[in-house]
Amino acid sequence: MSYIASRLSVVKPSASMAASQAAKALRAKGVDVIDLGLGEPDFPTPHHIVDAAHFAAKAGQTLYTAAAGTVEVREAIAGKFRRENGLDYTADDIVVANGAKQIIFNALMATLETGDEAILPAPYFVSYPEMVKLLGGTPIVVECPETTGFRLTPALLEKAITPRTKWLFLNMPGNPSGAVYSESDLKALGAVLAKHPQVLILSDEIYEHILFDGREFVSFAKACPELRDRTLIVNGVSKSYAMTGWRVGYAAGPTPLLKAMSTIQSQSCTSVCSIAQAATVAALNGPQDEVARFRQAFERRRDLVVDGIRKINGLTLSPPEGAFYVYIGCASLIGRKTPKGVVLEDDAAVSNYLLNEGRVASVPGVAYGLSPYFRISTATSEEVLAEAISRINAAVAQVE
């Protein structure tokens, strides 16, 4: 007898979590492994944010809140949108949830009917297709090759849209590629979407503050205001403020969708932790110095890794424009043999080899819908990254 619902048969566990767990298992056996599978800032949450949470707890802010979030946190989010993105949202246009992933899950649960299609430009975040499938939708994967900068083009978008298309997912800067869309890029996509009024747009902007080489972030809603009534902007404090464990994500979008998402949340987890919401108010309204410092550190790490990987014969790497990952090409390794005679048949085999022989945990490109690549996180110290590059270099050099 099975207790598991049939819908779970099509859903895979998180590939990045799986890579990290494999690294932990080797460490438990005494193997020295560098875990670059998961992506989260290695910095502590800024002190003023922690202090605000401490104050909120001591002041008795420990009760349930409204499902959509406290008025204070939603007003802080609306202020952030006005100040940083030039977007005029009010507190009523915003919901908060337990991380950006729950925002996306709630949005899909509120909108997807069986067979509805969601366009996912690949490489995509590993959870996108699994959430779509879990909620009865059909992921439509559109490969966006390195020659396009890993970006969706208007021609690729037009070709992918059908009468069943319900959502287009955008992620910028992208995980795993670090690709960034310019305002003109977004306007060109918007021109296509304007012809297809049944398509909703989910713009995942969680890495907006982690941009390199002087780039400036432009929100999809700012670039395409004519599509506001069918655009959901997804964001959160996890990446920019080193608050992954606080689990606060937020969204701005059309009122009917937000109300449906709040209803779902009220019947599932009720609300986000009240203390974490108070911390989020401090993050958004307080000093932003640490956000800039984090970005500078991530750019230095990006430069270190790009320089190191480019010196490894057999690997390729286009410099990411944002986020804290690198998506490394390994096409020339496919079909070759490891010192133990194992043929590297695909990028999953390459990642497995790097873990077991190179002692570096990575995530294969197949998990992101575009091969042959593997992703490593650069959200760790420069010393650790330098050692990881040295290990990858030594492992690749032994492939015949």
Side-chain angles (χ1 to χ4, degrees), residues 155-393:
L156 288 171
L157 174 59
E158 184 70 71
K159 185 177 180 181
I161 293 175
T162 76
R164 298 300 311 257
T165 304
K166 178 64 68 72
W167 283 100
L168 164 66
F169 280 53
L170 293 175
N171 180 206
M172 50 187 185
N175 174 8
S177 68
V180 175
Y181 289 81
S182 68
E183 184 171 10
S184 60
D185 292 333
L186 296 176
K187 286 183 178 296
L189 295 175
V192 174
L193 293 163
K195 298 184 290 183
H196 302 278
Q198 85 279 13
V199 182
L200 301 170
I201 302 97
L202 189 152
S203 185
D204 183 346
E205 303 178 0
I206 193 75
Y207 296 98
E208 70 165 308
H209 288 120
I210 308 173
L211 291 172
F212 308 139
D213 307 315
R215 290 181 174 83
E216 293 188 5
F217 181 79
V218 179
S219 173
F220 182 85
K222 178 65 174 177
C224 301
E226 71 279 7
L227 301 177
R228 174 171 168 149
D229 63 346
R230 49 191 172 108
T231 297
L232 185 71
I233 301 298
V234 179
N235 210 319
V237 294
S238 293
K239 313 301 184 181
S240 297
Y241 298 93
M243 293 176 67
T244 54
W246 297 77
R247 307 312 304 135
V248 181
Y250 56 82
T255 300
L257 175 56
L258 297 186
K259 286 184 176 179
M261 292 166 63
S262 293
T263 297
I264 290 167
Q265 184 146 293
S266 72
Q267 297 293 0
S268 55
C269 65
T270 302
S271 64
V272 175
C273 167
S274 57
I275 298 166
Q277 291 188 61
T280 298
V281 173
L284 297 176
N285 288 346
Q288 304 295 302
D289 311 62
E290 292 292 83
V291 175
R293 185 176 70 86
F294 295 164
R295 189 209 63 77
Q296 291 165 4
F298 288 132
E299 184 162 7
R300 289 195 303 271
R301 295 168 178 183
R302 188 277 309 256
D303 293 343
L304 183 155
V305 173
V306 168
D307 183 62
I309 293 297
R310 283 180 162 179
K311 293 176 182 176
I312 300 176
N313 186 27
L315 300 179
T316 61
L317 176 58
S318 293
E321 299 166 337
F324 41 68
Y325 311 99
V326 291
Y327 205 46
I328 302 170
C330 57
S332 69
L333 300 183
I334 307 303
R336 295 166 64 182
K337 293 182 179 180
T338 72
K340 294 181 179 179
V342 177
V343 176
L344 299 175
E345 296 182 347
D346 50 30
D347 52 28
V350 172
S351 283
N352 189 57
Y353 169 64
L354 292 177
L355 174 63
N356 291 296
E357 303 301 327
R359 294 173 289 120
V360 176
S362 63
V363 186
V366 65
Y368 305 101
L370 188 69
S371 295
Y373 295 86
F374 63 92
R375 188 201 80 171
I376 61 173
S377 167
T378 60
T380 189
S381 71
E382 293 179 33
E383 292 77 16
V384 170
L385 291 172
E387 174 62 20
I389 292 169
S390 177
R391 293 184 184 189
I392 293 171
N393 183 33

Side-chain angles (χ1 to χ4, degrees), residues 111-130:
T111 57
L112 284 182
E113 302 284 1
T114 301
D116 282 348
E117 296 173 351
I119 297 173
L120 308 181
Y124 46 65
F125 173 50
V126 294
S127 294
Y128 291 163
E130 308 312 316

Side-chain angles (χ1 to χ4, degrees), residues 28 45 60 73 75 90 100 132-133 177-178 291 307 357 388:
T45 302
V73 76
E75 286 181 343
T90 70
V132 170
K133 289 185 289 185
S177 68
V291 175
D307 183 62
E357 303 301 327

